[in-house]
Amino acid sequence: SNGRLCDREILEERPGFSPDRLARLVPSHPYLRLSLAKKYFARGQMQEASGLIQEHMRLFGDGLETEMFRLPIFDVETDFSLEDLLKLVPNHPHALLMQAKIKMNENQLEEAGRLIEKEARLFGGSAEITYFKGLLHQRLGDHQSAVKNFERVRKELPNRIECWLPLAESLSRLGDKDRARKLYAQTWNRAMDEGDKWVRARVAVAMAKLDAAKRPETETLELYLARDPDNTSLLYAKASAFEQAGKSEKAGALFKIIASSSSSERIRGAAGFRLARPSPKARHQ
């Protein structure tokens, strides 16, 4: 009623606005099918969950244009992991690429390369294949080839700003730090939506590392936090930087705040784990 988009997590907590009811009332809403699919998946109702996900794909896409496929590739918390998606939609158009990303996460780069090439042989060229080739080159340390692939994706999908992150990383690895800084700055300035908090956090962490010779990483992260004070992912990064710098008390204070206030279950859990670990001094005793 106030003109703002609905927050799915808030709606799901309101008894009068359950995902089931909303899906009937507003069937075109992009998130409701995934909410219901997540609910069915948790119950073990695989067929129902799979049907909803496939319907979502028909309406909103199945590649880099859709969060359902894109976010797990960036290891971002989302409704379904790549492993879950493969169980639910084994015939997904990019199933081979999802398998390749899983292999990359396990550092099985040769197998990942075979899966990417198989997808290319079967389906020809696509932005998704180009992007995965860039990821593989980056993991192999061939940053020049990675940059070429990521630049092609940037031209083909100019609005997918998160895909600029690995491009800037490879530019930095090649020593082109000025261009990397400019690209990170452009990414930050365009990552204005609520769902882009993770993008802004990764930009801030990358910039902190780039400027580590000028100032402590915690100082750079603090500058970005001043611009995005509600970003708990960014606050978590600052706490981690304090811990790495040996400032365990400051790190612990921030982890306590995060563990009690973050809306992300994953971040709360990670902060709680960091609090439960013995201090670096205790570990060395």
Short mmCIF file of all heavy atoms in Angstrom, two decimals, residues 140-176:
data_model
loop_
_atom_site.label_atom_id
_atom_site.label_comp_id
_atom_site.label_asym_id
_atom_site.label_seq_id
_atom_site.Cartn_x
_atom_site.Cartn_y
_atom_site.Cartn_z
N LEU A 140 42.71 -21.73 -13.01
CA LEU A 140 43.96 -22.29 -13.50
C LEU A 140 45.10 -21.27 -13.50
O LEU A 140 46.24 -21.62 -13.82
CB LEU A 140 43.76 -22.86 -14.91
CG LEU A 140 42.86 -24.09 -15.02
CD1 LEU A 140 42.52 -24.37 -16.48
CD2 LEU A 140 43.54 -25.30 -14.39
N GLY A 141 44.78 -20.01 -13.18
CA GLY A 141 45.80 -18.97 -13.16
C GLY A 141 46.06 -18.31 -14.49
O GLY A 141 46.98 -17.50 -14.61
N ASP A 142 45.26 -18.63 -15.51
CA ASP A 142 45.40 -18.01 -16.83
C ASP A 142 44.48 -16.79 -16.88
O ASP A 142 43.39 -16.82 -17.46
CB ASP A 142 45.03 -19.02 -17.92
CG ASP A 142 45.20 -18.46 -19.33
OD1 ASP A 142 45.64 -17.29 -19.46
OD2 ASP A 142 44.88 -19.18 -20.30
N HIS A 143 44.92 -15.70 -16.26
CA HIS A 143 44.05 -14.54 -16.10
C HIS A 143 43.85 -13.76 -17.40
O HIS A 143 42.82 -13.09 -17.55
CB HIS A 143 44.59 -13.64 -14.99
CG HIS A 143 44.52 -14.28 -13.64
ND1 HIS A 143 43.33 -14.41 -12.95
CD2 HIS A 143 45.48 -14.86 -12.87
CE1 HIS A 143 43.56 -15.03 -11.81
NE2 HIS A 143 44.85 -15.32 -11.74
N GLN A 144 44.77 -13.84 -18.32
CA GLN A 144 44.56 -13.17 -19.60
C GLN A 144 43.39 -13.79 -20.35
O GLN A 144 42.52 -13.08 -20.88
CB GLN A 144 45.83 -13.25 -20.45
CG GLN A 144 46.96 -12.35 -19.96
CD GLN A 144 48.16 -12.36 -20.89
OE1 GLN A 144 48.35 -13.31 -21.65
NE2 GLN A 144 48.96 -11.31 -20.84
N SER A 145 43.33 -15.12 -20.40
CA SER A 145 42.20 -15.79 -21.04
C SER A 145 40.91 -15.55 -20.26
O SER A 145 39.83 -15.38 -20.84
CB SER A 145 42.46 -17.30 -21.15
OG SER A 145 43.57 -17.57 -21.98
N ALA A 146 41.02 -15.51 -18.93
CA ALA A 146 39.84 -15.24 -18.11
C ALA A 146 39.26 -13.88 -18.43
O ALA A 146 38.05 -13.72 -18.60
CB ALA A 146 40.21 -15.33 -16.63
N VAL A 147 40.13 -12.87 -18.55
CA VAL A 147 39.67 -11.51 -18.85
C VAL A 147 38.95 -11.47 -20.19
O VAL A 147 37.89 -10.84 -20.34
CB VAL A 147 40.86 -10.52 -18.84
CG1 VAL A 147 40.48 -9.20 -19.51
CG2 VAL A 147 41.32 -10.27 -17.42
N LYS A 148 39.49 -12.15 -21.20
CA LYS A 148 38.85 -12.16 -22.52
C LYS A 148 37.44 -12.72 -22.44
O LYS A 148 36.49 -12.19 -23.04
CB LYS A 148 39.69 -12.98 -23.50
CG LYS A 148 41.01 -12.32 -23.88
CD LYS A 148 41.80 -13.22 -24.84
CE LYS A 148 43.15 -12.58 -25.19
NZ LYS A 148 43.96 -13.46 -26.08
N ASN A 149 37.28 -13.81 -21.70
CA ASN A 149 35.96 -14.41 -21.57
C ASN A 149 35.01 -13.52 -20.77
O ASN A 149 33.85 -13.33 -21.16
CB ASN A 149 36.07 -15.79 -20.92
CG ASN A 149 36.55 -16.85 -21.88
OD1 ASN A 149 35.77 -17.40 -22.66
ND2 ASN A 149 37.83 -17.16 -21.85
N PHE A 150 35.48 -12.98 -19.66
CA PHE A 150 34.62 -12.13 -18.83
C PHE A 150 34.23 -10.84 -19.56
O PHE A 150 33.12 -10.34 -19.38
CB PHE A 150 35.32 -11.80 -17.51
CG PHE A 150 35.48 -12.99 -16.59
CD1 PHE A 150 36.65 -13.15 -15.85
CD2 PHE A 150 34.49 -13.95 -16.46
CE1 PHE A 150 36.81 -14.23 -15.00
CE2 PHE A 150 34.64 -15.04 -15.61
CZ PHE A 150 35.81 -15.18 -14.89
N GLU A 151 35.13 -10.30 -20.38
CA GLU A 151 34.81 -9.11 -21.17
C GLU A 151 33.70 -9.41 -22.17
O GLU A 151 32.81 -8.58 -22.40
CB GLU A 151 36.04 -8.60 -21.91
CG GLU A 151 37.08 -7.93 -21.02
CD GLU A 151 36.70 -6.50 -20.63
OE1 GLU A 151 35.50 -6.15 -20.70
OE2 GLU A 151 37.59 -5.73 -20.27
N ARG A 152 33.73 -10.59 -22.77
CA ARG A 152 32.68 -10.98 -23.71
C ARG A 152 31.33 -11.06 -23.00
O ARG A 152 30.31 -10.61 -23.52
CB ARG A 152 33.01 -12.33 -24.35
CG ARG A 152 34.11 -12.26 -25.40
CD ARG A 152 34.44 -13.65 -25.92
NE ARG A 152 33.25 -14.31 -26.47
CZ ARG A 152 33.21 -15.61 -26.77
NH1 ARG A 152 34.27 -16.39 -26.54
NH2 ARG A 152 32.10 -16.14 -27.27
N VAL A 153 31.32 -11.63 -21.79
CA VAL A 153 30.09 -11.72 -21.02
C VAL A 153 29.59 -10.33 -20.65
O VAL A 153 28.38 -10.05 -20.71
CB VAL A 153 30.29 -12.58 -19.75
CG1 VAL A 153 29.04 -12.57 -18.88
CG2 VAL A 153 30.66 -14.00 -20.13
N ARG A 154 30.51 -9.45 -20.30
CA ARG A 154 30.12 -8.09 -19.93
C ARG A 154 29.44 -7.36 -21.08
O ARG A 154 28.46 -6.63 -20.89
CB ARG A 154 31.35 -7.31 -19.46
CG ARG A 154 31.02 -5.94 -18.86
CD ARG A 154 32.27 -5.19 -18.52
NE ARG A 154 31.97 -3.89 -17.93
CZ ARG A 154 32.82 -2.89 -17.85
NH1 ARG A 154 34.05 -3.03 -18.33
NH2 ARG A 154 32.45 -1.75 -17.30
N LYS A 155 29.93 -7.57 -22.29
CA LYS A 155 29.32 -6.95 -23.46
C LYS A 155 27.96 -7.57 -23.77
O LYS A 155 27.02 -6.88 -24.17
CB LYS A 155 30.25 -7.08 -24.66
CG LYS A 155 31.50 -6.22 -24.56
CD LYS A 155 32.41 -6.44 -25.77
CE LYS A 155 33.68 -5.61 -25.65
NZ LYS A 155 34.61 -5.85 -26.79
N GLU A 156 27.87 -8.88 -23.61
CA GLU A 156 26.63 -9.58 -23.95
C GLU A 156 25.55 -9.37 -22.90
O GLU A 156 24.35 -9.29 -23.23
CB GLU A 156 26.91 -11.07 -24.12
CG GLU A 156 25.74 -11.84 -24.70
CD GLU A 156 26.11 -13.25 -25.10
OE1 GLU A 156 27.33 -13.55 -25.21
OE2 GLU A 156 25.19 -14.07 -25.30
N LEU A 157 25.96 -9.27 -21.63
CA LEU A 157 25.00 -9.08 -20.53
C LEU A 157 25.41 -7.86 -19.71
O LEU A 157 25.90 -7.98 -18.59
CB LEU A 157 24.97 -10.33 -19.64
CG LEU A 157 24.60 -11.66 -20.30
CD1 LEU A 157 24.79 -12.81 -19.32
CD2 LEU A 157 23.17 -11.63 -20.82
N PRO A 158 25.24 -6.65 -20.26
CA PRO A 158 25.75 -5.44 -19.60
C PRO A 158 25.12 -5.13 -18.25
O PRO A 158 25.70 -4.36 -17.47
CB PRO A 158 25.44 -4.33 -20.62
CG PRO A 158 24.31 -4.87 -21.44
CD PRO A 158 24.55 -6.35 -21.53
N ASN A 159 23.96 -5.70 -17.96
CA ASN A 159 23.29 -5.41 -16.69
C ASN A 159 23.62 -6.42 -15.59
O ASN A 159 23.19 -6.23 -14.45
CB ASN A 159 21.77 -5.37 -16.90
CG ASN A 159 21.35 -4.21 -17.77
OD1 ASN A 159 21.92 -3.12 -17.68
ND2 ASN A 159 20.38 -4.43 -18.62
N ARG A 160 24.38 -7.44 -15.90
CA ARG A 160 24.74 -8.43 -14.90
C ARG A 160 26.03 -8.00 -14.22
O ARG A 160 27.11 -8.53 -14.47
CB ARG A 160 24.88 -9.82 -15.54
CG ARG A 160 23.57 -10.40 -16.03
CD ARG A 160 22.84 -11.19 -14.97
NE ARG A 160 22.59 -10.50 -13.73
CZ ARG A 160 21.52 -9.76 -13.47
NH1 ARG A 160 20.61 -9.57 -14.38
NH2 ARG A 160 21.37 -9.18 -12.29
N ILE A 161 25.90 -7.02 -13.32
CA ILE A 161 27.07 -6.39 -12.72
C ILE A 161 27.87 -7.34 -11.84
O ILE A 161 29.08 -7.16 -11.69
CB ILE A 161 26.67 -5.15 -11.91
CG1 ILE A 161 25.63 -5.51 -10.84
CG2 ILE A 161 26.14 -4.06 -12.83
CD1 ILE A 161 25.32 -4.38 -9.89
N GLU A 162 27.22 -8.37 -11.26
CA GLU A 162 27.98 -9.30 -10.43
C GLU A 162 29.01 -10.06 -11.25
O GLU A 162 30.03 -10.49 -10.72
CB GLU A 162 27.05 -10.26 -9.69
CG GLU A 162 26.08 -11.04 -10.57
CD GLU A 162 24.83 -10.26 -10.86
OE1 GLU A 162 23.89 -10.28 -10.06
OE2 GLU A 162 24.78 -9.65 -11.95
N CYS A 163 28.76 -10.18 -12.56
CA CYS A 163 29.72 -10.87 -13.43
C CYS A 163 30.97 -10.03 -13.67
O CYS A 163 31.94 -10.51 -14.25
CB CYS A 163 29.07 -11.24 -14.76
SG CYS A 163 27.75 -12.47 -14.60
N TRP A 164 30.94 -8.76 -13.22
CA TRP A 164 32.13 -7.92 -13.33
C TRP A 164 33.14 -8.23 -12.22
O TRP A 164 34.32 -7.88 -12.34
CB TRP A 164 31.76 -6.45 -13.24
CG TRP A 164 30.78 -5.98 -14.28
CD1 TRP A 164 30.22 -6.71 -15.29
CD2 TRP A 164 30.22 -4.66 -14.40
NE1 TRP A 164 29.36 -5.94 -16.03
CE2 TRP A 164 29.34 -4.68 -15.51
CE3 TRP A 164 30.39 -3.49 -13.69
CZ2 TRP A 164 28.63 -3.55 -15.91
CZ3 TRP A 164 29.69 -2.36 -14.08
CH2 TRP A 164 28.81 -2.39 -15.19
N LEU A 165 32.68 -8.86 -11.15
CA LEU A 165 33.56 -9.13 -10.01
C LEU A 165 34.75 -10.01 -10.39
O LEU A 165 35.90 -9.65 -10.08
CB LEU A 165 32.77 -9.76 -8.86
CG LEU A 165 31.68 -8.88 -8.23
CD1 LEU A 165 30.85 -9.70 -7.24
CD2 LEU A 165 32.31 -7.68 -7.53
N PRO A 166 34.55 -11.17 -11.02
CA PRO A 166 35.72 -11.97 -11.40
C PRO A 166 36.58 -11.29 -12.46
O PRO A 166 37.79 -11.51 -12.49
CB PRO A 166 35.11 -13.27 -11.92
CG PRO A 166 33.72 -12.93 -12.30
CD PRO A 166 33.29 -11.86 -11.34
N LEU A 167 35.97 -10.46 -13.32
CA LEU A 167 36.76 -9.70 -14.29
C LEU A 167 37.72 -8.77 -13.58
O LEU A 167 38.92 -8.72 -13.90
CB LEU A 167 35.82 -8.92 -15.21
CG LEU A 167 36.48 -7.89 -16.15
CD1 LEU A 167 37.51 -8.55 -17.05
CD2 LEU A 167 35.41 -7.17 -16.97
N ALA A 168 37.21 -8.02 -12.60
CA ALA A 168 38.08 -7.10 -11.85
C ALA A 168 39.16 -7.86 -11.09
O ALA A 168 40.31 -7.41 -11.00
CB ALA A 168 37.23 -6.28 -10.89
N GLU A 169 38.81 -9.03 -10.56
CA GLU A 169 39.81 -9.84 -9.84
C GLU A 169 40.95 -10.25 -10.75
O GLU A 169 42.13 -10.15 -10.38
CB GLU A 169 39.15 -11.07 -9.24
CG GLU A 169 40.12 -11.95 -8.47
CD GLU A 169 39.48 -13.22 -7.94
OE1 GLU A 169 38.24 -13.32 -7.93
OE2 GLU A 169 40.24 -14.13 -7.54
N SER A 170 40.62 -10.72 -11.96
CA SER A 170 41.68 -11.15 -12.89
C SER A 170 42.51 -9.96 -13.36
O SER A 170 43.72 -10.08 -13.54
CB SER A 170 41.07 -11.89 -14.08
OG SER A 170 40.75 -13.22 -13.72
N LEU A 171 41.87 -8.81 -13.56
CA LEU A 171 42.62 -7.61 -13.92
C LEU A 171 43.62 -7.26 -12.83
O LEU A 171 44.78 -6.90 -13.11
CB LEU A 171 41.66 -6.43 -14.15
CG LEU A 171 40.83 -6.48 -15.44
CD1 LEU A 171 39.77 -5.39 -15.42
CD2 LEU A 171 41.72 -6.31 -16.66
N SER A 172 43.18 -7.37 -11.58
CA SER A 172 44.08 -7.10 -10.46
C SER A 172 45.23 -8.09 -10.42
O SER A 172 46.39 -7.70 -10.19
CB SER A 172 43.29 -7.16 -9.15
OG SER A 172 44.14 -6.97 -8.04
N ARG A 173 44.95 -9.36 -10.70
CA ARG A 173 46.00 -10.39 -10.70
C ARG A 173 47.02 -10.13 -11.81
O ARG A 173 48.19 -10.49 -11.67
CB ARG A 173 45.39 -11.77 -10.88
CG ARG A 173 44.47 -12.21 -9.75
CD ARG A 173 45.25 -12.53 -8.48
NE ARG A 173 44.39 -13.09 -7.46
CZ ARG A 173 44.16 -14.38 -7.30
NH1 ARG A 173 44.73 -15.25 -8.12
NH2 ARG A 173 43.37 -14.80 -6.34
N LEU A 174 46.56 -9.50 -12.90
CA LEU A 174 47.47 -9.18 -14.01
C LEU A 174 48.25 -7.90 -13.76
O LEU A 174 49.08 -7.51 -14.58
CB LEU A 174 46.67 -9.05 -15.31
CG LEU A 174 46.10 -10.36 -15.88
CD1 LEU A 174 45.15 -10.05 -17.03
CD2 LEU A 174 47.23 -11.27 -16.36
N GLY A 175 47.98 -7.24 -12.65
CA GLY A 175 48.70 -6.01 -12.32
C GLY A 175 48.01 -4.74 -12.78
O GLY A 175 48.51 -3.64 -12.55
N ASP A 176 46.85 -4.87 -13.45
CA ASP A 176 46.12 -3.70 -13.92
C ASP A 176 45.19 -3.22 -12.81
O ASP A 176 43.96 -3.26 -12.93
CB ASP A 176 45.33 -4.05 -15.18
CG ASP A 176 44.87 -2.83 -15.95
OD1 ASP A 176 44.96 -1.72 -15.39
OD2 ASP A 176 44.44 -2.98 -17.11
#
